[in-house]
Structures are given as structure tokens and as C-alpha cells.
Amino acid sequence: METITYEYKGGLYVNLTNRCDCNCVFCLRHNGHKGSIYADDLWLDHEPTREEALADFLRRDLTSYREIVFCGFGEPMYRWDDIAWLIDALKARCPRLPPVRINTNGHAALFLGRDVTHELSGRVDTVSISLNGSTAEEYCAVTQPKDGPAAWKAMLDFAARCRNTVPHVIMTIVNKDKTPEEIERCRRLTMDLGITLRVRTYIPN
């Protein structure tokens, strides 16, 4: 049975795709790893339809969770159109739906071909964006995005636009091989953007 939703520390996490346009040096996907620190096996044999995902949601008491997090093993924004449909369907069925967060690399405009940040308004409460570098060179070395430096610009544009449409915007870095000076440069960059920085602890696979 595929893992579509799973629980972690009071949150309900949502796994909709294996696809990702990055090959981050810290990613658990390396060496064929199929799980995470949250669940044993997140690799999907097929991407669930929006209807399959909705059915998986509805077997749970949604009001019991502190938040709903679209995260999973791939980049969730590949499924943004389905996520938007799911959020709307869940809000219609559950007026007290917990806050919704999306963890993303911020490249949606590149692989979806359009700016979707305005579509987050009223649906998403928090966007957490992977930063992982204070310059395009650092960023590409760590995240190894398919689109190279264009992904750095897309990520920063996405973050800036989200500030106008989403109540809470966070940028994150993983502290693997990061010097204090590199972390401080990332902190200054996010401060200039008016966005909070979260430093995540690297967990080896």
C-alpha cells in the first residue's frame, strides 16, 4: 500500500510525487533510499490521483492535527493543481481545517510554466522554501538543480512573491558542511528579503 498521508509530531504530511528537479547533496533519495525520518517507505509506485488522495485524507480526523504539510519524497509543487483542488475540497468538508504548509524548492514557475504564487492565497498558510546557499554558486553546488543558476533566480522570485500572498514564509538551509560564515550570509540574505531563516540539522541516510 502506498504512503500518501503520514503522521509526524502532530502534523499530517502528504506525499504526492517522486518527481524532483534537484539532486541535493543531503537528500535521502541518494543510494536508492525510499524512506525518510518520518516514514519507512515514501516511494510511490504511481502518483495518486486527486480523488485517491482525498479518500486517504477523509479516513482521518483532520481536526486532530496541528497542521497539514505537503512535503513527501518529491517536490510537491509538481502537483500544485491537484494540491489546490485538494485544499478546496478539504476546506469545503472541514470548516476547521488545520493550517496548511507547503515545503518546496521554489522552482514552480520553471516546471509549471507560470507564476502560481497568487493561487496560494487563501489556501496556504505557510510556505517553507529551501535556500541552502547565499549565492547562485553555493546554491547550485548544494542543490544541483536541473536548470542551474536559473533555478536560483526562480527560487528568490518565488520567495519574494509569496510574501504578498501567504501569511508565513520561511526559508531553510541544511547545516551539512556549512560554515558559520555561510550560515550568516544566508541569514543576512533572508533578512534583506524580510523572511525568516530556519537552520535544519542534517540527518545522514
Side-chain angles (χ1 to χ4, degrees), residues 24-41:
C24 299
V25 297
F26 52 78
C27 185
L28 290 171
R29 295 158 65 106
H30 294 308
N31 302 318
H33 199 291
K34 292 185 176 182
S36 74
I37 62 172
Y38 314 111
D40 291 335
D41 190 348

Side-chain angles (χ1 to χ4, degrees), residues 107-196:
H107 301 165
L110 291 177
F111 51 73
L112 294 180
R114 71 184 198 275
D115 172 29
V116 297
T117 52
H118 62 286
E119 299 173 26
L120 306 180
S121 180
R123 292 184 171 116
V124 177
D125 301 282
T126 301
V127 171
S128 179
I129 304 165
S130 298
L131 175 61
N132 293 317
S134 62
T135 66
E137 292 74 20
E138 285 179 20
Y139 179 78
C140 289
V142 172
T143 63
Q144 303 181 70
K146 178 175 69 68
D147 290 293
W152 164 258
K153 182 179 186 305
M155 179 270 299
L156 292 179
D157 288 347
F158 182 84
R161 291 175 183 274
C162 279
R163 286 182 54 226
N164 299 320
T165 60
V166 178
H168 305 289
V169 182
I170 301 166
M171 302 187 90
T172 68
I173 59 173
V174 175
N175 63 2
K176 177 179 169 57
D177 301 326
K178 279 275 190 295
T179 66
E181 292 76 19
E182 288 172 328
I183 292 174
E184 181 57 29
R185 287 199 298 270
C186 290
R187 196 178 305 280
R188 288 199 298 270
L189 185 152
T190 55
M191 287 179 62
D192 289 343
L193 289 170
I195 294 172
T196 301

